Amino acid sequence: MRHGKTLAARILVAVLGIVAATMAIGAALVARQTALLTDEQAMVQARSIAVTVAAMPDVAEAVTGGDTATLVPALAERIRSQSQADYVVVIDASGTRLSHPRPDLIGAKIQEPVVALDGQTHTGIDDGDLGRSANVRAPIVDASGHPVGEVSVGILESTVNTRSAQQVSGYLVSGGLALVLGVIASLVLARTIKRVTFGLEPAEIVALVQEREAMLHGIREGVLGLDARGRLNVLNEEARRLLQIPNAQLGQPIVDLMGASQLRDILVGDVSGPDRVAVTDDHLLVLNRMPVDVGGRPAGWVVTIRDRTEMEALLRQLDAVTGLTNALRAQEHEFSNRLHVLSVLLELGETAEAARYSTELRTRTTLAEDIRSRIAPPTVVALLLAKTTVGAERDVIVELDPASRLEHADVDSSPLVTIMANLVDNAIDAVADDPAAIGRHPRGHVQVLLTESQHDVHLRVSDTGPGIAEELASQVFVDGFTTKSPRAGFHRGIGLALVHRLVAGVDGTITVSHESGAVLDVTLPVRVRRPV
């Protein structure tokens, strides 16, 4: 709903008000300045005429005894009409007017003294018979240089005012034209602004800004907006936190704020697609980058950022638990079948065969004892036994390398267990899903080597799967990179990225190579578990 004046009306009123006020002030200043300038020009003009006429030889000869009755009046009138002066009066030394615009005053004496007899030119304001005027009196000198009269030239105040009014009226005409142009410009400006603001009125823009601020800072997801040139124009606090750019300013290019990474590639659009996953040092993020079109024109992009760190961890834990449960179920089923076979053999009296068969049942116990004799941390032993069962369920043999030794039971095995679980799972998947292993029993092997030195624990996980191509070795730790088929509800391509982040977080190293299959080597610094 629109409230109050429209944007066009507000701009029109504002422009008209500014132009009118400016014109009024300008007119007053121009009128005053014009009046002063016109007075000065009138005085200069009168002085120039008076001095010129006084210097004419004919005038001096007429005053000293020439033809004052016809020559002087005709000459003075001609000069007055040509110079646009209101009067040119020639006065002799006795104060008698020898010429005047009013013929009845020719021959009459002036009331004031003949001031130019002192040889100087006098200027001033004269209240004469024709009215108030700008008056100049210049001395008439004879051949010997003595003053013999004066020439009085004046421009009436009414004439000066008329000239001033003409100049001011010209300014008013220009001001009126400027006012018309201002109206046209205001309408054009209003239309341009409405086009830029997509036809929204000020009240609607204010409401949108308020709603946007409330939305941006009231949601739990990160939101950032980019203009058509990739510069920030929207950024909420959650986006600052998740992207770790607390000092980012609106207007900055996003490429200047982010280092080279999968995250930056998604933000700038080099990597496209829905629900793109990026791993940072602290978070696992899911991003969507959508174009924005307003009024049929591209306005930039909006990127939403969801923190899936805890959710992804829970999903992976659930997946691991599900796999372990299935493995235990399979193991329980296997042992039930074997016990049933053993029972039947005893019932049939096949004691020798039953003894041989029971020896096979002790293989699992022997495996556990063998692992515990070489690996001290119980959580690592439990993980290896669990992964052995998981591998057996998928017809993959998981075994501990005989050279493995990890004798310090107080080593903090938390990062080691997490890293080893991910690497072994990836190796089992690679072997079980290898097309070359179809029809083969077992499908392949996964071998785990654990060794220790004074300061480091070394883990090697190798498999007999298809391995990793040399040209892909540098990409396996990039979040989003995967060669596995998609799985509903589960983000692919982040397992090794998470492992890499975890290894880097404890100042370790991880490398990948290829032998008969993939080989991943991890070196972790020894960390002693703190007592509870």
Side-chain angles (χ1 to χ4, degrees):
M1 177 179 289
R2 299 175 185 263
H3 302 281
K5 295 180 179 179
T6 64
L7 181 62
R10 293 188 181 192
I11 293 176
L12 180 60
V13 171
V15 171
L16 289 179
I18 293 171
V19 173
T22 304
M23 283 182 58
I25 296 173
L29 295 175
V30 168
R32 178 177 176 80
Q33 188 66 24
T34 300
L36 295 175
L37 183 60
T38 306
D39 288 344
E40 183 179 352
Q41 289 175 344
M43 195 67 73
V44 171
Q45 182 183 8
R47 182 185 182 90
S48 176
I49 295 170
V51 171
T52 301
V53 174
M56 288 181 175
D58 293 343
V59 174
E61 292 176 1
V63 171
T64 56
D67 184 5
T68 59
T70 58
L71 177 62
V72 174
L75 180 61
E77 181 60 23
R78 187 176 75 251
I79 293 173
R80 184 195 68 78
S81 62
Q82 292 177 352
S83 63
Q84 298 182 346
D86 287 302
Y87 62 85
V88 177
V89 180
V90 178
I91 305 169
D92 62 14
S94 65
T96 302
R97 296 185 181 96
L98 304 181
S99 67
H100 197 279
R102 289 173 54 182
D104 59 306
L105 293 180
I106 296 176
K109 288 184 177 294
I110 61 175
Q111 298 176 356
E112 65 275 8
V114 182
V115 296
L117 293 177
D118 61 358
Q120 302 296 322
T121 300
H122 296 265
T123 61
I125 303 299
D126 181 41
D127 294 317
D129 295 317
L130 298 178
R132 189 176 177 82
S133 64
N135 179 258
V136 176
R137 298 188 180 193
I140 302 172
V141 296
D142 58 12
S144 61
H146 297 289
V148 294
E150 65 182 13
V151 176
S152 177
V153 177
I155 299 176
L156 295 176
E157 184 179 35
S158 59
T159 302
V160 174
N161 291 339
T162 300
R163 294 179 182 177
S164 178
Q166 289 174 346
Q167 295 185 21
V168 172
S169 64
Y171 170 79
L172 293 177
V173 171
S174 300
L177 180 60
L179 188 62
V180 172
L181 293 177
V183 173
I184 297 174
S186 67
L187 295 176
V188 173
L189 177 62
R191 184 169 182 177
T192 301
I193 293 176
K194 284 180 70 67
R195 185 171 65 252
V196 172
T197 58
F198 303 100
L200 297 176
E201 296 295 340
E204 294 173 318
I205 296 174
V206 171
L208 283 177
V209 172
Q210 291 174 340
E211 293 169 3
R212 190 196 77 164
E213 291 300 312
M215 179 191 69
L216 286 178
H217 299 289
I219 61 178
R220 294 292 303 274
E221 290 188 354
V223 177
L224 64 88
L226 303 173
D227 63 16
R229 290 186 285 180
R231 297 177 304 183
L232 282 174
N233 54 22
V234 174
L235 184 67
N236 68 352
E237 295 304 318
E238 185 67 5
R240 292 179 185 272
R241 183 183 71 84
L242 295 177
L243 299 180
Q244 299 177 344
I245 49 173
N247 299 321
Q249 300 294 324
L250 298 183
Q252 287 184 275
I254 190 65
V255 294
D256 294 344
L257 297 171
M258 309 296 299
S261 63
Q262 173 83 353
L263 179 58
R264 189 184 73 171
D265 293 341
I266 297 173
L267 291 175
V268 301
D270 292 341
V271 176
S272 60
D275 292 336
R276 303 300 305 186
V277 178
V279 178
T280 67
D281 292 339
D282 300 312
H283 304 285
L284 187 147
L285 305 177
V286 178
L287 300 94
N288 282 282
R289 186 176 188 267
M290 302 297 294
V292 178
D293 291 327
V294 181
R297 290 178 290 159
W301 295 268
V302 170
V303 182
T304 57
I305 309 166
R306 287 174 287 161
D307 186 2
R308 293 291 297 271
T309 307
E310 295 182 2
M311 179 68 72
E312 195 68 27
L314 290 174
L315 287 174
R316 289 185 173 274
Q317 288 179 12
L318 179 60
D319 186 68
V321 170
T322 301
L324 183 57
T325 302
N326 291 334
L328 292 175
R329 176 188 52 77
Q331 187 180 35
E332 184 269 338
H333 183 68
E334 179 185 0
F335 272 96
S336 295
N337 288 338
R338 291 192 176 191
L339 287 175
H340 181 70
V341 171
L342 182 61
S343 175
V344 172
L345 286 174
L346 291 175
E347 288 180 2
L348 295 175
E350 298 289 343
T351 55
E353 184 64 22
R356 185 191 64 77
Y357 194 74
S358 64
T359 301
E360 294 181 5
L361 294 179
R362 291 197 297 270
T363 303
R364 182 72 180 178
T365 303
T366 303
L367 175 63
E369 291 176 351
D370 178 63
I371 293 176
R372 293 209 62 171
S373 67
R374 289 179 286 161
I375 306 299
T379 53
V380 178
V381 175
L383 176 66
L384 287 170
L385 289 173
K387 294 305 178 183
T388 301
T389 303
V390 171
E393 177 72 7
R394 302 185 65 182
D395 198 20
V396 176
I397 296 177
V398 179
E399 57 186 358
L400 182 66
D401 190 293
S404 297
R405 290 290 185 276
L406 186 58
E407 299 177 351
H408 291 86
D410 58 347
V411 169
D412 184 5
S413 58
S414 298
L416 176 61
V417 168
T418 303
I419 293 167
M420 185 167 62
N422 276 279
L423 296 182
V424 173
D425 283 341
N426 282 344
I428 292 174
D429 289 342
V431 173
D433 297 337
D434 184 7
I438 295 177
R440 188 171 62 197
H441 176 74
R443 297 181 69 87
H445 293 74
V446 173
Q447 190 173 66
V448 178
L449 173 65
L450 274 170
T451 57
E452 63 181 345
S453 64
Q454 183 177 0
H455 302 290
D456 299 310
V457 173
H458 178 72
L459 166 67
R460 167 175 283 197
V461 178
S462 57
D463 61 64
T464 58
I468 299 173
E470 184 177 352
E471 62 272 14
L472 300 179
S474 60
Q475 303 180 42
V476 295
F477 300 120
V478 176
D479 41 322
F481 175 82
T482 182
T483 57
K484 299 179 182 178
S485 58
R487 176 178 169 185
F490 200 78
H491 293 295
R492 292 295 193 185
I494 61 174
L496 287 178
L498 290 172
V499 168
H500 185 271
R501 189 189 74 182
L502 185 57
V503 170
V506 296
D507 299 325
T509 61
I510 181 170
T511 59
V512 60
S513 58
H514 182 86
E515 292 180 0
S516 59
V519 179
L520 288 102
D521 288 284
V522 178
T523 301
L524 302 174
V526 172
R527 297 176 183 269
V528 178
R529 183 173 59 249
R530 295 180 180 179
V532 179

